[in-house]
Amino acid sequence: MRLNEQARGVFIIAVTPFTDSGELDLPSTDRLVEFYLERGATGLTVLGMMGEAPKLTASESLTYVEHVIERVAGRVPVVAGASGAGLAPMAELARQMMQAGAAGVMVAPPSHLRSDDQLVNYYTQVGQAIGRDTPFVLQDFPLATSVQIPVQAIVRIVNDNPNCVMLKHEDWPGLEKISALRQAEAEGRMRRISILAGNGGLFLPEELGRGADGAMTGFGYPEMMAGVYAAHTAGDAEKAHDLFDAYLPLARYEQQPGLGLAIRKYVLARRGAISSSAIRLPGAKLSPADIGEIEHLIERQESRLQEMNR
């Protein structure tokens, strides 16, 4: 199953489960995969920025990807993060992950890139290094990478690299970027690609309205994104907004810089998806006050959802 320009739906950014002592927790990984699929994921993305990829050794990264792919067993496509400082290790990791059954790889730009030409040249080199038969996702996340990728640069990258099949859109604010890219496609200046939105789903209803094909992000309640996408696809924008509104306070809380992953893992452990909320060091740790606030938000969220379902 190879990733292509028609990909749609909700590709969940998976966390990487660890034991309390910091080891990879593969039994929890099995439960986590089923948890995501049962709640509407149409794809999984592993070793993303919220997957603690830089904290894994090369062998751990491959072990984790292989394990997830084996557990998924072809039910949905699996995209694997392959970002790195050098093209040689990136190409090797991409090759290994594709051989394991990944649908494609995701690559974020290194932080030193600034001009359009630098960006275009970099992704041309990436496209060649990983092999033209390996589909890749262009990750546009300026808040994390400090790299601004203008619309005109994306157009050039897409047109120059047939294996660039998807944009992970995480610019913020970036709704006009989605509109501009879809306009470029409509005018024949760029071939069509899939656009999946990130940012923890905070702008998902609006991003879908602008032409995004779904979401590629994470949240402790992934069924929110699946439900919003389903309602939007069915033509019921108001239902999509109502559902989104019920989860928004917790989604907003989870987006705190530096603390978001700890919050997400706490919620996932609370829901039984993983055994431990441990983050591999270095990482943030929740205080009793943080946990109290999360519990309060969950209680209010559950109450609101019950009211909606009456």
Side-chain angles (χ1 to χ4, degrees):
M1 177 183 312
R2 290 294 175 102
L3 196 67
N4 62 47
E5 295 88 345
Q6 304 305 316
R8 303 181 63 87
V10 178
F11 282 56
I12 297 294
I13 295 286
V15 302
T16 302
F18 296 108
T19 65
D20 288 337
S21 60
E23 302 300 315
L24 273 178
D25 185 350
L26 296 181
S28 278
T29 299
D30 291 337
R31 292 207 311 277
L32 184 66
V33 166
E34 299 305 323
F35 175 87
Y36 285 142
L37 296 184
E38 288 167 3
R39 284 156 182 80
T42 56
L44 296 181
T45 303
V46 295
L47 302 184
M49 292 185 182
M50 293 295 271
E52 301 179 75
K55 301 176 186 178
L56 299 179
T57 66
S59 61
E60 284 178 326
S61 296
L62 187 57
T63 295
Y64 180 63
V65 171
E66 289 176 337
H67 194 88
V68 170
I69 291 171
E70 181 178 3
R71 183 69 186 194
V72 168
R75 287 175 286 176
V76 299
V78 177
V79 176
S83 303
L87 292 179
M90 179 192 300
E92 180 179 355
L93 183 59
R95 177 183 56 79
Q96 292 171 330
M97 293 189 296
M98 293 300 292
Q99 287 178 343
V105 300
M106 182 168 65
V107 181
S111 61
H112 67 273
L113 300 181
R114 288 295 178 264
S115 71
D116 288 8
D117 285 344
Q118 288 175 332
L119 287 161
V120 172
N121 290 338
Y122 175 74
Y123 277 102
T124 296
Q125 292 172 355
V126 167
Q128 293 171 345
I130 63 176
R132 291 301 189 186
D133 59 343
T134 298
F136 76 87
V137 179
L138 167 56
Q139 185 173 12
D140 181 15
F141 194 5
L143 289 177
T145 64
S146 76
V147 178
Q148 298 288 336
I149 311 181
V151 168
Q152 63 268 20
I154 295 174
V155 169
R156 291 173 60 190
I157 292 167
V158 169
N159 289 338
D160 290 352
N161 296 276
N163 52 339
C164 180
V165 299
M166 179 185 291
L167 174 71
K168 186 187 179 189
H169 172 268
E170 297 190 89
D171 206 344
W172 182 354
L175 295 173
E176 283 298 323
K177 179 178 280 188
I178 297 176
S179 295
L181 289 169
R182 291 307 188 207
Q183 184 66 27
E185 292 172 358
E187 295 173 353
R189 293 184 286 112
M190 185 180 85
R191 62 183 174 83
R192 191 199 189 280
I193 60 168
S194 174
I195 299 177
L196 298 186
N199 293 319
L202 284 185
F203 305 97
L204 184 56
E206 292 79 16
E207 288 162 334
L208 292 171
R210 295 290 188 113
D213 295 302
M216 183 184 277
T217 190
F219 178 43
Y221 287 82
E223 58 265 42
M224 177 274 280
M225 293 175 289
V228 169
Y229 172 76
H232 177 86
T233 302
D236 195 340
E238 288 307 307
K239 180 179 179 181
H241 276 278
D242 288 342
L243 183 61
F244 174 78
D245 290 348
Y247 289 94
L248 179 57
L250 183 60
R252 169 190 57 83
Y253 193 86
E254 194 189 272
Q255 283 301 297
Q256 294 180 75
L259 202 60
L261 181 59
I263 296 167
R264 187 176 302 171
K265 280 194 160 183
Y266 173 84
V267 172
L268 290 172
R270 183 186 188 276
R271 302 188 72 193
I274 55 178
S275 295
S276 172
S277 61
I279 293 176
R280 182 171 276 187
L281 298 177
K285 186 175 182 180
L286 299 179
S287 70
D290 295 326
I291 293 173
E293 289 163 353
I294 295 168
E295 292 292 338
H296 182 239
L297 289 170
I298 291 174
E299 181 181 349
R300 290 179 58 84
Q301 176 179 286
E302 291 174 347
S303 176
R304 176 62 176 150
L305 289 169
Q306 288 175 0
E307 291 176 2
M308 291 175 61
N309 292 326
R310 284 174 186 166

